[in-house]
Amino acid sequence: MEFTSLLNTSLDLNAKPLRMIEDHPIPKQEVGSNLFELGRDLTVNDERDALIEELNRVTAENKKLTELLTVMCENCTELRNQLMEYTAKTSPVDNNNNNNTAASKKRKAESSINNGGNNNMDDKNINTGASESSSSDEDSSKKRREEHVKPKILRTCVRTEVSDTSLIVKDGYQWRKYGQKVTRDNPSPRAYFKCSFAPTCPVKKKVQRSIEDQSIVVATYEGEHNHPQPSKVETNSGSNKGVALGTAPSSNSSGPTITLDLTKSKPSHEDTKRFGGKIDAPELQHYFVEQMASTLTKDPNFKAALAAAITGNFLRQNEKM
DNA sequence: CGCCTTTGACCAGCGC
DNA sequence: GCGCTGGTCAAAGGCG
């Protein structure tokens, strides 16, 4: 995990201003001006005191920020563990559902995905399952085989600029676009991607703008990568101006459709349901705090912005002096 | 030259 | 059987 480097980044924030002080202890104009020497001793002392005071203040601030980041990292780790536990728990349930709906067709699965990842088993699915169980052995065994290799599905939401039509979601993996379609329920085209890092990698990705909010791109991952992530910390660059707020599919992803919509700050209905429908539930609030912490600690832009803000503060303070 | 994107064609599932 | 729809294929062209 990259948290150590993350912490190092923030811990170094004081180094630059200190070096600046060492490198330029006295402004150039003051050198060689004997007239100011006497009076300057006082001002230099004042400046030094002020600088020391400021340094102490900023050091304390930096310490606070470091502590905050440490807490965020811990929360991130905890969230990951919880996600792994959750997926591990739900995997057998999913398998049962797959058995029950062994005959559920491709299209059905897709429709359930489009319904926000609800795993509700409606009567229709049950009925089709029953009818298909009476089909020929060859067909049923074939379908059972297909169900066994049924890819695991993970949905993520990414906020991008509306003007950005690239539909590219940088998640650290390499993708090859193999198709694009305009679907009936959404005027925005849906792009189809395959993982191109490993030829045998079965993972596919569908990317489409949300019909409700054009600034949100929904990426649906199917399957598991059979190779390590080529670039763990890949920043959003080039044509992609979006900030990946969701989670990329990891090799640990498993179970039913998991939707992590981090583009919103308020809990969704689905999320509140997960915690017994109580929006005030401490578990739910803890869950969202962890999600936000995870998002921030994972976002290199956040780190850069934090460093820039603190550095900028130092520079402003120096200019005043 | 190899990789990628684009895009029209094709295939399969599903409803009527 | 037919039409609609989503998913995939593959040829063509662009780009580094």
Side-chain angles (χ1 to χ4, degrees):
Chain A
M1 214 170 270
E2 61 274 45
F3 294 134
T4 50
S5 62
L6 186 151
L7 285 172
N8 286 341
T9 306
S10 50
L11 284 171
D12 283 343
L13 290 175
N14 267 337
K16 190 175 177 183
L18 281 173
R19 278 197 299 271
M20 285 168 64
I21 293 166
E22 287 164 9
D23 292 343
H24 309 286
I26 301 168
K28 280 182 182 175
Q29 305 154 334
E30 296 173 11
V31 178
S33 175
N34 294 329
L35 290 173
F36 296 135
E37 284 295 326
L38 285 173
R40 221 191 57 211
D41 282 343
L42 285 175
T43 57
V44 165
N45 281 339
D46 288 347
E47 277 182 16
R48 192 175 55 201
D49 290 344
L51 276 174
I52 288 169
E53 193 180 331
E54 182 65 18
L55 185 64
N56 289 335
R57 191 186 65 78
V58 172
T59 304
E61 194 177 327
N62 190 32
K63 195 178 171 186
K64 264 187 196 174
L65 286 168
T66 306
E67 284 171 3
L68 273 173
L69 277 173
T70 308
V71 170
M72 284 179 178
C73 291
E74 285 169 0
N75 286 340
C76 180
T77 309
E78 198 179 332
L79 179 64
R80 277 174 188 270
N81 290 337
Q82 284 181 3
L83 180 64
M84 285 171 67
E85 280 177 26
Y86 172 76
T87 52
K89 277 180 194 170
T90 51
S91 283
V93 177
D94 185 48
N95 289 339
N96 289 339
N97 283 348
N98 283 349
N99 289 339
N100 290 341
T101 60
S104 70
K105 298 282 197 254
K106 209 169 166 186
R107 197 74 67 82
K108 301 272 185 193
E110 175 61 25
S111 67
S112 70
I113 293 165
N114 287 336
N115 288 335
N118 286 340
N119 292 313
N120 298 340
M121 227 185 339
D122 56 15
D123 295 337
K124 209 171 180 180
N125 275 350
I126 295 170
N127 287 339
T128 50
S131 65
E132 291 230 357
S133 64
S134 61
S135 61
S136 68
D137 289 347
E138 192 181 339
D139 284 352
S140 58
S141 63
K142 189 179 175 183
K143 272 160 190 165
R144 251 179 256 126
R145 242 178 288 134
E146 285 172 358
E147 287 301 322
H148 272 293
V149 296
K150 185 177 179 178
K152 283 147 189 172
I153 295 165
L154 173 68
R155 280 204 334 160
T156 66
C157 300
V158 175
R159 189 176 289 280
T160 66
E161 289 179 16
V162 181
S163 58
D164 183 13
T165 58
S166 60
L167 282 177
I168 294 170
V169 177
K170 290 276 180 77
D171 49 24
Y173 290 91
Q174 283 182 292
W175 300 97
R176 183 178 61 83
K177 191 177 180 181
Y178 67 91
Q180 181 167 317
K181 272 277 185 191
V182 176
T183 55
R184 206 176 65 114
D185 55 341
N186 192 336
S188 303
R190 177 185 294 169
Y192 299 90
F193 296 89
K194 277 178 184 172
C195 181
S196 62
F197 184 73
T200 56
C201 183
V203 179
K204 290 175 191 169
K205 179 171 82 168
K206 287 182 282 190
V207 181
Q208 188 174 31
R209 288 200 176 277
S210 169
I211 192 168
E212 292 164 359
D213 187 348
Q214 293 288 303
S215 66
I216 293 174
V217 170
V218 180
T220 306
Y221 298 88
E222 293 181 18
E224 285 179 89
H225 292 278
N226 56 10
H227 57 84
Q229 188 170 357
S231 165
K232 282 216 164 193
V233 190
E234 185 163 352
T235 57
N236 298 308
S237 59
S239 61
N240 181 33
K241 301 165 191 73
V243 178
L245 297 174
T247 58
S250 68
S251 56
N252 295 325
S253 69
S254 61
T257 303
I258 300 166
T259 304
L260 290 181
D261 185 357
L262 301 181
T263 60
K264 57 183 182 294
S265 56
K266 289 181 180 177
S268 69
H269 180 61
E270 193 186 340
D271 292 324
T272 54
K273 267 202 307 187
R274 204 178 299 166
F275 293 90
K278 290 180 183 174
I279 198 164
D280 295 330
E283 295 91 346
L284 179 62
Q285 290 179 355
H286 187 70
Y287 170 70
F288 274 93
V289 166
E290 284 178 342
Q291 279 200 343
M292 284 187 277
S294 168
T295 302
L296 288 173
T297 53
K298 267 190 250 174
D299 189 357
N301 293 333
F302 170 71
K303 286 190 282 182
L306 185 62
I310 293 172
T311 308
N313 192 26
F314 269 113
L315 292 174
R316 277 195 301 276
Q317 295 292 341
N318 287 339
E319 281 170 9
K320 282 180 189 173
M321 296 171 187

